[in-house]
Amino acid sequence: MDKKQQFLNPEYSQGFVESPYVKQMCKITQLLYQHGWDERNGGNVSYRLTASEVNSYGDVHHIIRNIPIAFDASPLAGTYFLVTGTGRYFKNIIDYPQRDTGLVKIAQDGHSVDLLWGFCDGGLPTSEFPAHLMTHIERLKIDSNQRIVMHCHPTNLIALSFTVPLDEKTITRILWKMQAESIVVFPEGIGVLPYMTPGTNEIGAATAAKMSDYRLVLWPHHGIFASGDSMDEEFGLIETVEKAASIFTTIRSQGGPILSEISDENLAQLAARFDLTPTHEFMHGDTLAKMMRN
Ligand code: 13P
Ligand code: ZN
């Protein structure tokens, strides 16, 4: 951008901290904290930004430092991400976005990122950055509007991973049958990994592999990974899954037998009404009563 263009562009004199992207990040991380899904430093968010969105701000044009990453992110070379920092508390991001988040650009060789803004006390991207970037790579193959990856620790969903068999059909069908809304919001269902060590390339690769079929992946005994086009869509996906899991918790704590349920025929009616193509193999199976008896 030359001097005349800078003069004509009112945002150029603005700091990136004033951008809608940082504001959205502050708002969503605060909401995640308030929901109780991101205790301490739990959770992380990455937000893909385009060059034109970034370039209009005045304070993002030189490299503050280069940060190595331990895997090959070359399919994203040149791509910008606003990302939460490792060890940062979501409750604080709203007050210290320039400390607790950073704007990075993936370097050409894919093995490091250039920090352009943020992490002002020497911070680093989330330890789950491999899983985030691998997920962005996978989802961008399917959806060119893919923007956000969000990871958090929703209580009821984590609890359910201890009491229900860890298979995608059972967990999807239970969540679909907890409320009519579920199949409408995530007709493809939910991917499920075995328990794996967080912050590793292995869990990143396994998550990304699931993301070719799902936008939601359950990490048993830990949390959830979600991908999507906007903060609202993403947060809405997680809210809906966690609401279903909270109904499951409530049913369990009320005790007693299951006396009625959303039947497989009801699921088919919902799919027809909302013009959805749910994952076929999840549409028929055991009753809720049978699945909840394990
Ligand atoms: P970070 O603090 O590195 O983002 O890790 C939090 C987390 O939830 C790990 O799964
Ligand atoms: Zn986590």
Side-chain angles (χ1 to χ4, degrees):
M1 197 181 296
D2 63 26
K3 285 251 167 341
K4 185 172 168 214
Q5 283 172 318
Q6 288 175 16
F7 179 76
L8 291 173
N9 188 336
E11 283 169 346
Y12 202 83
S13 60
Q14 259 185 357
F16 187 66
V17 75
E18 299 298 329
S19 70
Y21 320 112
V22 173
K23 287 186 177 153
Q24 286 174 56
M25 190 66 117
C26 287
K27 183 177 168 192
I28 215 76
T29 49
Q30 186 59 211
L31 270 174
L32 285 159
Y33 171 70
Q34 285 169 4
H35 276 71
W37 303 337
D38 286 304
E39 71 294 335
R40 200 177 185 275
N41 66 308
N44 22 77
V45 181
S46 61
Y47 188 170
R48 181 177 66 83
L49 299 174
T50 65
S52 62
E53 287 165 343
V54 169
N55 284 338
S56 54
Y57 294 92
D59 57 350
V60 296
H61 297 276
H62 75 271
I63 298 169
I64 301 169
R65 57 194 151 96
N66 180 264
I67 303 169
I69 52 176
F71 73 101
D72 179 14
S74 55
L76 294 169
T79 308
Y80 298 85
F81 290 96
L82 177 62
V83 59
T84 55
T86 185
R88 303 308 161 111
Y89 292 25
F90 273 21
K91 77 182 173 64
N92 295 336
I93 291 178
I94 198 163
D95 293 321
Y96 302 102
Q98 198 150 352
R99 184 192 69 185
D100 293 345
T101 72
L103 175 68
V104 299
K105 184 180 182 185
I106 311 293
Q108 278 315 313
D109 71 355
H111 288 284
S112 67
V113 299
D114 291 329
L115 178 67
L116 303 174
W117 175 92
F119 296 146
C120 64
D121 64 350
L124 297 169
T126 171
S127 60
E128 305 294 3
F129 210 29
H132 281 250
L133 294 182
M134 290 182 205
T135 294
H136 281 290
I137 291 169
E138 200 55 44
R139 290 303 303 179
L140 278 165
K141 291 179 195 163
I142 300 160
D143 173 11
S144 59
N145 294 319
Q146 160 64 27
R147 285 276 199 162
I148 317 274
V149 173
M150 199 177 278
H151 164 63
C152 65
H153 301 166
T155 313
N156 292 282
L157 192 66
I158 297 170
L160 174 150
S161 74
F162 289 90
T163 62
V164 166
L166 295 177
D167 76 84
E168 281 153 1
K169 181 169 180 175
T170 304
I171 292 185
T172 296
R173 283 173 56 76
I174 286 176
L175 294 170
W176 278 357
K177 286 172 178 258
M178 290 297 108
Q179 56 188 355
E181 185 193 11
S182 285
I183 193 173
V184 180
V185 175
F186 50 102
E188 73 272 45
I190 181 168
V192 179
L193 293 186
Y195 176 80
M196 296 178 76
T197 305
T200 59
N201 286 357
E202 288 70 27
I203 200 170
T207 304
K210 290 289 179 197
M211 287 285 177
S212 59
D213 293 320
Y214 305 101
R215 292 165 298 158
L216 291 163
V217 177
L218 172 63
W219 286 9
H221 325 324
H222 180 154
I224 193 160
F225 241 74
S227 60
D229 298 355
S230 71
M231 290 283 188
D232 271 357
E233 182 200 316
E234 197 79 350
F235 190 80
L237 268 175
I238 295 173
E239 263 183 319
T240 307
V241 167
E242 174 60 3
K243 177 66 184 278
S246 75
I247 297 168
F248 178 84
T249 303
T250 309
I251 293 170
R252 287 278 205 202
S253 59
Q254 283 181 355
I258 303 291
L259 298 179
S260 70
E261 69 175 87
I262 294 175
S263 66
D264 291 1
E265 192 188 356
N266 296 151
L267 291 177
Q269 289 158 346
L270 281 161
R273 167 64 183 82
F274 292 96
D275 201 17
L276 307 166
T277 314
T279 300
H280 181 72
E281 64 192 278
F282 297 165
M283 291 297 282
H284 301 281
D286 289 341
T287 61
L288 187 59
K290 190 162 180 201
M291 288 188 291
M292 287 185 65
R293 272 203 308 271
N294 284 349

